[in-house]
Amino acid sequence: MTSIEQRGADLLDEIDRHWMRYALFAWLLVLLWSVGSDWERIQSLALGDTDDNMRLMQVRALLDGQGWFDLRNYYLNPPGGFDIHWSRIVDLPIAGIILLLRPFVGTPEAERIACGIAPLLPLSIAFLGLGATARRLIGKHAWPLAIALLVFACGSTMLMFAPERIDHHGWQLAMLSLTVAGLSDPRHGRGGVIVGAASAVSLSIGLEMMPYAAMAGAIITLQWIWDRGEARRVEGYALALGGGTALGYAAFASYANTVARCDALTPVYLTVMIAAGALLFALARLSPASRVVRLGLAVVAGAVIVAGFALLFPQCLGRPEQVSDELARNWLNNVREAKPIYTHPFRVAFPIVTLPLIGLLGAFVATKRAVDARLPNMVGWAAVALFTLFACLMLLWQTRAGPAAQLLAVPGAAALIWIAVPLLLGSGNMLVRVFGTAAVVLFASGAFSALAVQYLPVDKPDARSKAINLAGARCPAYGNLAPLNQYPSATILSFVDLGPRIIVVTHHKAVAGPYHRNGDAILDVQHAFGGSPDQFRAIAARHGATLLLVCPNMAESTIYRARNPGGFYDRLARGEKFAFLQPLPLPRNSPLRLFRIAP
């Protein structure tokens, strides 16, 4: 080995010894780049999703002195408000940044900066989780490849960590990355604790990732069934899961979640997780020598959990939201992200699903190689392969599984590159070395999918779609809603999807937001816009709404017109005037229309 080669090897060893430090440095660079490139959006408080706006309102309420366990929002559906089903875990970093900065820059600017920085905090955990998985399963120098794939190939995943995306999905994805790292950890006890604690934190934040938490528990159990030596992993997992969910419930469950509801960490799922943890711990302590007996005990334990759930909490056997049939039919069943991936246009679906399928292929290839060579990481690869397969199947249920599926695909995609590129670089043909390597990276990263939809003449938006997209971007914009503050504080009857944005940008209140616990108010808004003018007036009066705000061509408005031709909103959109509506001035070229509702 030459001196140059030796110095290179020494440098790699030095980086490997302190890989977490370098991974966090890479995260810091991504944070600085993201905040800098999105600074204009940060300054305009461009909270693009309704949940992001509600999250900020929840943080504001906390900083204004609202009780820790009181998560009722009083700006929607006033005067009583409604209970949100979230917890305060994700509020903490946002509130902390605001408290740190507002003595220096004031509250409005502190909020803007907090909303820009906070979503990137859990990305640091994702870097470490995927980096650790890559080091254990692929090679000790493979962690930068995993991080690079996350940043540059996982478009849907990275959107959850983007500035202004302050809702809880980024934190749950970070916990998912730790789950994968725990499943592949060669130190069984530590790995089990990591998986159990990550699942407990995720469930304490929200139930969206419960299927993944359940799958992680199933994989750990399968590992123990196959190999009795995995008992330590099961013990650590059981204790962390049961104890972690109990702690999460005690510290973060709101007053409204102390009853047996099915949409959050309530006594329902607290009971299930503690019972599951206790049963798994008992199985691990018994740990009979026979694989068949271990399988039988696991099946019995699973049956006990399922039967107990069905007997004790029959109300939770249906939809966890527990909404009325009308609300499900007219709203919840039509949420686009809750529909299967195959129901979406090719232009949307193809870039989402490509990387998970490639990651699944890579995970199976790596698993087979590890099994054939009897490598110590074969159990870890088998766990990743099962988890990635599960994530791909989840896409057939709901498209919102895309970010998690892409994150779980990273180890398998990285393995494909790690295996194929050295073979190509060793070729004696320069074209193979150059173009072959580029082709492998282009394929394994899924980057070709974005290029395909960019140039393929499929699903091009028509003029109507462009008008709807334009309205959807302009109407919630800070600069277009802020002029409403020239009018005295009032309750505004507006589209459901505009409600959270109205209460963030203005001093007004709104009737409804797109949250299932706000279901009665959602139906009231739908009935108001879809019914007769007299019905609109009656509903507005019942909610104390004195202002009407509409956004022509916004997606929700097209639903009212299509569903209720001749209804109040359809008539208003066609230019009909009503004696009880007084138009109020807004800045020239505003996309909004504002009316005062006469009593």
Side-chain angles (χ1 to χ4, degrees):
M1 180 180 293
T2 66
S3 59
I4 295 177
E5 291 173 333
Q6 182 62 52
R7 285 198 296 270
D10 292 342
L11 177 60
L12 286 176
D13 289 339
E14 170 66 19
I15 292 174
D16 179 63
R17 280 194 296 272
H18 304 288
W19 78 271
M20 295 179 67
R21 182 185 306 171
Y22 289 101
L24 290 176
F25 179 71
W27 164 76
L28 180 60
L29 293 179
V30 172
L31 182 149
L32 293 174
W33 180 85
S34 298
V35 171
S37 61
D38 278 352
W39 187 249
E40 185 176 342
R41 292 183 65 252
I42 292 171
Q43 287 301 299
S44 62
L45 199 63
L47 301 170
D49 189 270
T50 54
D51 288 355
D52 299 322
N53 285 279
M54 281 301 297
R55 177 66 63 183
L56 180 56
M57 289 302 294
Q58 190 165 298
V59 171
R60 286 177 176 175
L62 176 64
L63 295 179
D64 287 343
Q66 188 166 324
W68 177 259
F69 297 107
D70 179 9
L71 269 67
R72 177 168 284 260
N73 183 280
Y74 296 94
Y75 281 81
L76 283 182
N77 196 23
F82 80 102
D83 291 307
I84 197 76
H85 58 289
W86 302 338
S87 78
R88 289 216 182 272
I89 293 177
V90 181
D91 296 350
L92 292 177
I94 306 169
I97 296 173
I98 293 173
L99 288 174
L100 179 67
L101 294 179
R102 71 182 181 185
F104 307 100
V105 298
T107 298
E109 183 64 14
E111 284 186 351
R112 291 184 176 91
I113 296 175
C115 291
I117 293 176
L120 288 150
L121 299 181
L123 183 61
S124 63
I125 299 174
F127 273 27
L128 297 178
L130 289 177
T133 302
R135 292 181 78 250
R136 291 163 182 167
L137 298 182
I138 303 173
K140 65 179 183 179
H141 301 308
W143 63 267
L145 176 59
I147 289 175
L149 284 173
L150 173 63
V151 174
F152 297 109
C154 299
S156 296
T157 309
M158 288 301 294
L159 284 176
M160 300 299 109
F161 299 109
E164 305 298 293
R165 195 69 174 99
I166 59 173
D167 194 24
H168 53 260
H169 301 297
W171 286 100
Q172 289 183 313
L173 289 170
M175 294 303 105
L176 186 61
S177 75
L178 292 182
T179 298
V180 179
L183 290 174
S184 60
D185 195 333
R187 293 174 59 179
H188 297 168
R190 182 181 66 182
V193 169
I194 289 173
V195 175
S199 296
V201 171
S202 184
L203 293 173
S204 298
I205 291 172
L207 297 187
E208 290 87 349
M209 304 299 283
M210 176 173 279
Y212 298 91
M215 187 61 187
I219 290 173
I220 281 184
T221 305
L222 286 172
Q223 288 175 324
W224 168 73
I225 292 171
W226 184 260
D227 180 5
R228 187 186 182 194
E230 293 282 338
R232 290 290 302 279
R233 193 186 306 271
V234 178
E235 288 179 6
Y237 168 76
L239 291 174
L241 178 68
T245 50
L247 181 61
Y249 178 82
F252 296 103
S254 68
Y255 294 131
N257 287 345
T258 58
V259 298
R261 299 201 60 146
C262 311
D263 58 353
L265 183 59
T266 67
V268 173
Y269 299 105
L270 176 63
T271 302
V272 171
M273 295 305 154
I274 291 177
L279 284 173
L280 284 175
F281 184 79
L283 294 186
R285 297 297 290 179
L286 288 173
S287 202
S290 170
R291 187 177 293 169
V292 174
V293 175
R294 293 198 299 273
L295 174 61
L297 289 174
V299 170
V300 170
V304 168
I305 293 297
V306 172
F309 183 84
L311 290 172
L312 294 175
F313 311 111
Q315 75 275 18
C316 297
L317 295 177
R319 302 188 72 132
E321 299 90 354
Q322 297 177 292
V323 299
S324 68
D325 291 340
E326 182 185 9
L327 187 62
R329 183 176 62 254
N330 290 346
W331 174 63
L332 199 55
N333 292 345
N334 301 310
V335 176
R336 285 181 298 175
E337 65 180 12
K339 294 183 177 182
I341 190 71
Y342 55 80
T343 64
H344 289 259
F346 178 83
R347 181 173 294 274
V348 174
F350 189 55
I352 294 175
V353 76
T354 299
L355 185 62
L357 292 177
I358 293 169
L360 179 62
L361 172 64
F364 278 133
V365 169
T367 301
K368 186 179 185 308
R369 286 167 57 92
V371 170
D372 290 344
R374 295 195 172 276
L375 299 176
N377 63 0
M378 65 179 183
V379 174
W381 266 123
V384 169
L386 283 173
F387 221 163
T388 310
L389 174 61
F390 176 77
C392 290
L393 294 176
M394 285 287 291
L395 285 169
L396 300 177
W397 177 46
Q398 290 187 342
T399 303
R400 67 177 55 157
Q406 288 189 350
L407 183 142
L408 290 172
V410 166
L416 280 182
I417 296 174
W418 199 260
I419 294 168
V421 167
L423 297 176
L424 294 169
L425 292 177
S427 171
N429 188 316
M430 184 187 71
L431 294 179
V432 172
R433 292 197 303 271
V434 176
F435 294 104
T437 299
V440 165
V441 173
L442 190 66
F443 169 77
S445 66
F448 69 92
S449 62
L451 297 174
V453 298
Q454 184 176 353
Y455 293 106
L456 287 176
V458 294
D459 301 325
K460 294 284 188 180
D462 55 19
R464 180 174 180 272
S465 298
K466 290 180 180 178
I468 292 173
N469 292 337
L470 180 62
R474 293 187 66 204
C475 290
Y478 191 97
N480 290 325
L481 283 173
L484 297 178
N485 287 320
Q486 66 184 295
Y487 297 102
S489 177
T491 296
I492 297 177
L493 199 160
S494 186
F495 300 150
V496 174
D497 286 341
L498 269 181
R501 187 63 174 164
I502 289 171
I503 64 176
V504 162
V505 175
T506 76
H507 56 221
H508 300 289
K509 298 178 180 180
V511 172
Y515 306 100
H516 59 269
R517 291 193 183 182
N518 194 210
D520 291 342
I522 293 174
L523 288 177
D524 278 348
V525 170
Q526 292 182 348
H527 296 159
F529 283 126
S532 67
D534 288 341
Q535 186 176 13
F536 170 85
R537 293 187 71 184
I539 291 173
R542 187 163 69 247
H543 285 276
T546 57
L547 295 177
L548 166 64
L549 181 72
V550 296
C551 168
N553 290 325
M554 192 172 174
E556 187 177 337
S557 74
T558 66
I559 295 173
Y560 297 137
R561 300 195 68 181
R563 186 182 292 163
N564 306 108
F568 168 71
Y569 181 75
D570 184 45
R571 294 167 63 179
L572 181 68
R574 285 190 277 109
E576 186 172 342
K577 300 185 184 303
F578 300 94
F580 62 87
L581 292 183
Q582 174 193 352
L584 296 177
L586 289 173
R588 189 176 180 181
N589 298 323
S590 173
L592 302 166
R593 296 175 64 193
L594 182 66
F595 303 88
R596 189 179 307 282
I597 305 171

